[in-house]
Amino acid sequence: MFTMLPAKYSSVIVFFTTFWFYATLTHGSGFSHSTILDPRGKYNIKWRFDRRTIYFEIEVETRGYIGFGLSPNGAMASSDIVIGGVTDGTPYLQDYFADANRKVHRDVQQNYRLQYGRENSTHTVLAFSRHLLTCDTSDKDITESTVRVIWAYHSEDVRPSGPMYHGVNRGRKSMRLLDPGSKVNISSEIDFFNLQYINVPVPFKDTTYWCQIFKIQKVQKKHHIIRIEPLIQRGHENLVHHILLYQCDSTLNESELKAGHECYHPNMPDSFLTCETIVFAWAIGGEGFTYPPHVGLSIGTSIDPVYVLMEVHYDNPAFQQGVVDSSGLRLFYTPELRQYDAGVIETGVWVSLYHMLPPGMQEYISEGHCTRECLQESLGQEMPSGVRVFAVLMHAHLAGRAIRTRHFRGQEELQHLSHDEEFDFNFQEFQLLKDERLLLPGDNLITECKYTTKDRQNMTWGGLTTRDEMCLSYLLYYPRVNLTRCESLPEINGQLKFIGVKEIQMPATTWPFIIKSPKKYSNLSFTEAMDKYRWSKNRGKSFNEMVLQLPMNVRCSRWGQDEWSIQGTMVSPPEVKSEVKPPSMVCRSASEPHSGVVLLFTMCLTYSIVQIC
């Protein structure tokens, strides 16, 4: 991954004595985040950040060089790279970048700052820092969005001609480097229970939703679930795309707790239809989620889940045969109650064929509305003082490129609840908000998804498979109220009128329904008619602009299968006076002195080590 052009070796080397002083002064605060990048456990990274700077410490099982980079898409091309190591007790570090042809060049502007380095008989440790924004076009900005990290290492240090090719010692991982949360260690004394499939035969097709009903751990009094972790069978990390938990009717018969069945199937058990309320959501790439110390997921009371349906989405585009899976979730619970009970609200575009994306589009935008009418009715009756959102999981499929959960009060737009301008389908997890957000009756939310369909020949439909699309935000909030879904769907008549449909066959006895006129669409389903239409970039853009102005069908659901009275009504999209962009940071001038340089100069004066400086 870090192949480079032959060049004269001229890395910046700073003497070890100086960095011993520097490390002593700067390393005391520790690191709040850590992860393992190599599945074999040989490449470990820790980091912390403040308003302007991020600090890394990387420990790798090698006595050679360490490579670390930030990529726009997980590949080598156009990446921002730093390479360093320790030679004869002296640490070195060099800032590089890769061009569009994957060739590596030394960056004239050195923005990675070595803090310290050390080496023993088996491992090398490097610590360095960088501004989040550097004003260097060869560097990648570090924001709150998803970052594709690439890594590599070699058994030998960098030579005068450059680093040797690393071979198989490389990889990539999507991360959220500026996540305000940090990993919380759960005491080994905390009880847990598993909701886990046992040897489910994954069908021989690209997409399967598999469901099974489980009984929640029985407790004698109210408890709080404080952490939920995925239990993904080893080797199935790319097969298990997401897991959803739904609360079911508490009066189900114990006989319903039997072998699972394919969800959304004509022959699935009727009991599955009673499981409507979302309790928890996990998606591919996500780690476990720990609730804030004042919030927990309640079990043991009369309105809490007794039975839950676990839905696992298996994504099997290679059509693997004979696959048997035993994945699930682990839930940690405690009798030491938190102050508030957590709830989940699903917002965004109601999953339906009426949500459609034309082919060949570089950018297409969908909006799913949690309308003020829904929030006014539900929160107005349940919690007039409002609820507080503390985490968001944003969800789309393969065409998704960016998602924002926008928040409005009246016509004024507030800061986004969440946003990811570099969405990665293979990395979806709850984002803990830096500051909890108050959601009031009469507010409204827009889940905005940006897609790319430039390589697709036919319409992309809203639906369940990864080749279909979704546009959803799952809000974790407190205190819990009787609202589970707050979504919208653009009405279909305007979309049909755009392609020239005049009449559909009535009564509509088939799904998708059949077109009657004009003649060119006669006896075609509406999906076939949409595919037959001759789409172009300009027509797709005009269609997008039109859809965003169409009246919306409101979905506003209670627990179980109940609905608020506003559900099913048609409302117009709200008028937005101005758009608030995601918060941005102002990059610092490259000529501005770096704090480390100032500190180093001060140390030179203080310790009279001018001969070293």
Side-chain angles (χ1 to χ4, degrees):
M1 189 174 289
F2 294 110
T3 310
M4 71 168 289
L5 293 171
K8 185 177 180 181
Y9 177 55
S10 59
S11 297
V12 177
I13 298 178
V14 182
F15 289 91
F16 179 78
T17 304
T18 302
F19 274 95
W20 182 86
F21 285 121
Y22 188 80
T24 301
L25 292 173
T26 62
H27 187 51
S29 60
F31 295 92
S32 56
H33 296 73
S34 66
T35 192
I36 299 172
L37 298 186
D38 181 359
R40 297 173 294 176
K42 293 187 175 184
Y43 196 115
N44 299 274
I45 178 173
K46 300 177 183 177
W47 74 98
R48 61 182 172 87
F49 57 90
D50 56 32
R51 186 169 53 89
R52 293 196 300 189
T53 307
I54 189 165
Y55 305 85
F56 295 99
E57 182 186 87
I58 298 177
E59 180 179 0
V60 182
E61 189 178 324
T62 183
R63 288 176 54 81
Y65 75 73
I66 295 171
F68 177 81
L70 307 174
S71 167
N73 54 18
M76 183 65 183
S78 305
S79 293
D80 175 10
I81 300 165
V82 62
I83 300 176
V86 179
T87 300
D88 299 326
T90 302
Y92 62 91
L93 192 77
Q94 178 73 42
D95 189 349
Y96 297 94
F97 67 91
D99 61 27
N101 296 318
R102 300 176 58 234
K103 292 185 177 180
V104 177
H105 309 268
R106 290 187 177 87
D107 195 338
V108 174
Q109 184 174 319
Q110 293 292 301
N111 291 308
Y112 287 90
R113 313 285 180 164
L114 178 63
Q115 290 188 280
Y116 56 88
R118 58 178 179 266
E119 185 178 73
N120 60 22
S121 61
T122 59
H123 288 73
T124 297
V125 174
L126 281 179
F128 53 89
S129 65
R130 205 209 83 172
H131 288 319
L132 303 178
L133 275 69
T134 64
C135 302
D136 183 351
T137 56
S138 298
D139 291 342
K140 187 170 185 352
D141 295 344
I142 299 175
T143 69
E144 294 178 349
S145 295
T146 298
V147 178
R148 278 80 166 173
V149 167
I150 57 176
W151 57 268
Y153 64 92
H154 197 278
S155 59
E156 296 188 23
D157 282 298
V158 175
R159 296 179 176 182
S161 60
M164 296 181 65
Y165 181 61
H166 45 65
V168 298
N169 297 323
R170 64 173 181 176
R172 69 192 69 181
K173 182 181 177 72
S174 287
M175 304 168 62
R176 200 164 281 115
L177 290 174
L178 302 190
D179 185 348
S182 59
K183 290 189 175 180
V184 178
N185 293 324
I186 297 294
S187 168
S188 59
E189 298 179 358
I190 296 291
D191 290 329
F192 66 85
F193 61 93
N194 296 339
L195 305 177
Q196 189 171 10
Y197 292 160
I198 304 297
N199 297 329
V200 169
V202 179
F204 174 58
K205 56 182 180 177
D206 72 336
T207 296
T208 299
Y209 283 75
W210 192 264
C211 289
Q212 184 175 337
I213 293 178
F214 294 84
K215 189 172 185 178
I216 286 287
Q217 179 74 26
K218 188 175 182 179
V219 290
Q220 298 302 317
K221 60 178 182 178
K222 180 176 178 176
H223 284 60
H224 269 144
I225 293 170
I226 60 173
R227 179 172 171 79
I228 301 180
E229 295 179 351
L231 296 174
I232 308 303
Q233 182 171 325
R234 180 166 296 187
H236 291 185
E237 290 80 6
N238 291 325
L239 177 71
V240 180
H241 180 264
H242 72 246
I243 303 176
L244 294 179
L245 279 187
Y246 297 90
Q247 181 171 342
C248 304
D249 189 331
S250 60
T251 63
L252 290 180
N253 193 292
E254 294 284 339
S255 64
E256 302 287 354
L257 307 179
K258 53 187 178 181
H261 196 282
E262 192 167 345
C263 321
Y264 314 109
H265 189 279
N267 296 327
M268 73 180 188
D270 291 340
S271 57
F272 287 9
L273 298 174
T274 74
C275 309
E276 289 284 338
T277 303
I278 293 176
V279 175
F280 185 76
W282 169 90
I284 189 169
E287 299 180 357
F289 182 80
T290 301
Y291 288 83
H294 55 297
V295 186
L297 183 62
S298 177
I299 58 173
T301 78
S302 60
I303 62 172
D304 292 336
V306 176
Y307 302 101
V308 291
L309 179 139
M310 186 167 72
E311 172 190 296
V312 175
H313 173 191
Y314 292 112
D315 184 32
N316 186 19
F319 293 91
Q320 300 177 64
Q321 298 187 60
V323 178
V324 176
D325 181 66
S326 297
S327 297
L329 298 171
R330 173 165 292 175
L331 298 86
F332 295 84
Y333 66 105
T334 175
E336 298 180 7
L337 299 181
R338 272 70 185 296
Q339 185 176 1
Y340 298 105
D341 294 340
V344 182
I345 303 174
E346 179 182 290
T347 69
V349 180
W350 192 342
V351 179
S352 167
L353 291 175
Y354 291 177
H355 176 209
M356 58 190 87
L357 320 177
M361 300 298 295
Q362 178 65 37
E363 180 177 287
Y364 186 91
I365 296 175
S366 292
E367 291 182 351
H369 295 254
C370 177
T371 65
R372 62 170 56 94
E373 291 84 358
C374 178
L375 291 179
Q376 182 64 59
E377 182 181 11
S378 58
L379 296 187
Q381 293 188 31
E382 292 274 318
M383 193 63 60
S385 59
V387 298
R388 293 192 175 273
V389 179
F390 61 88
V392 180
L393 184 151
M394 297 178 291
H395 182 67
H397 287 176
L398 289 172
R401 293 297 180 270
I403 309 181
R404 297 187 293 175
T405 310
R406 301 169 65 185
H407 184 195
F408 298 83
R409 185 160 294 155
Q411 290 185 318
E412 178 186 358
E413 181 169 9
L414 310 179
Q415 282 295 335
H416 301 143
L417 282 181
S418 61
H419 64 96
D420 191 343
E421 306 306 313
E422 300 186 55
F423 174 78
D424 183 354
F425 169 74
N426 291 312
F427 175 65
Q428 304 182 46
E429 66 177 0
F430 274 105
Q431 295 184 34
L432 193 66
L433 303 188
K434 183 162 50 178
D435 299 302
E436 295 177 349
R437 295 288 295 279
L438 179 64
L439 188 61
L440 292 173
D443 285 1
N444 63 290
L445 305 173
I446 300 177
T447 301
E448 178 189 277
C449 297
K450 292 183 180 180
Y451 302 100
T452 293
T453 63
K454 61 181 181 179
D455 298 324
R456 301 191 179 191
Q457 304 302 313
N458 296 311
M459 295 292 289
T460 298
W461 304 99
L464 300 175
T465 80
T466 54
R467 265 60 54 189
D468 296 331
E469 267 309 329
M470 294 185 179
C471 181
L472 298 170
S473 293
Y474 294 95
L475 313 182
L476 284 181
Y477 72 94
Y478 69 86
R480 178 177 53 177
V481 297
N482 196 352
L483 175 64
T484 60
R485 286 185 173 90
C486 184
E487 298 168 323
S488 73
L489 191 64
E491 61 94 12
I492 188 61
N493 291 330
Q495 299 183 71
L496 293 174
K497 185 178 179 180
F498 182 89
I499 67 168
V501 171
K502 296 181 179 179
E503 188 178 5
I504 66 173
Q505 291 188 9
M506 296 297 290
T509 58
T510 62
W511 179 254
F513 55 76
I514 304 300
I515 306 298
K516 186 175 182 180
S517 67
K519 185 176 180 180
K520 64 179 179 179
Y521 297 139
S522 180
N523 294 319
L524 296 181
S525 69
F526 88 83
T527 55
E528 292 170 331
M530 282 287 177
D531 271 331
K532 184 175 181 179
Y533 182 72
R534 297 181 64 180
W535 292 100
S536 65
K537 292 181 181 178
N538 286 336
R539 288 176 174 177
K541 183 178 179 181
S542 297
F543 180 76
N544 197 178
E545 293 172 351
M546 180 273 301
V547 168
L548 295 178
Q549 299 301 317
L550 286 177
M552 307 173 300
N553 193 322
V554 173
R555 189 180 198 187
C556 191
S557 305
R558 299 174 183 251
W559 296 332
Q561 297 176 295
D562 293 335
E563 302 166 352
W564 289 95
S565 64
I566 195 68
Q567 172 138 334
T569 61
M570 301 295 292
V571 301
S572 297
E575 293 185 9
V576 178
K577 286 185 176 179
S578 61
E579 180 180 350
V580 172
K581 299 292 185 182
S584 61
M585 298 168 286
V586 178
C587 66
R588 302 175 65 184
S589 169
S591 61
E592 184 178 347
H594 186 276
S595 58
V597 175
V598 175
L599 177 58
L600 182 59
F601 179 72
T602 303
M603 287 162 46
C604 291
L605 296 178
T606 304
Y607 293 97
S608 300
I609 52 174
V610 178
Q611 70 275 18
I612 296 178
C613 301

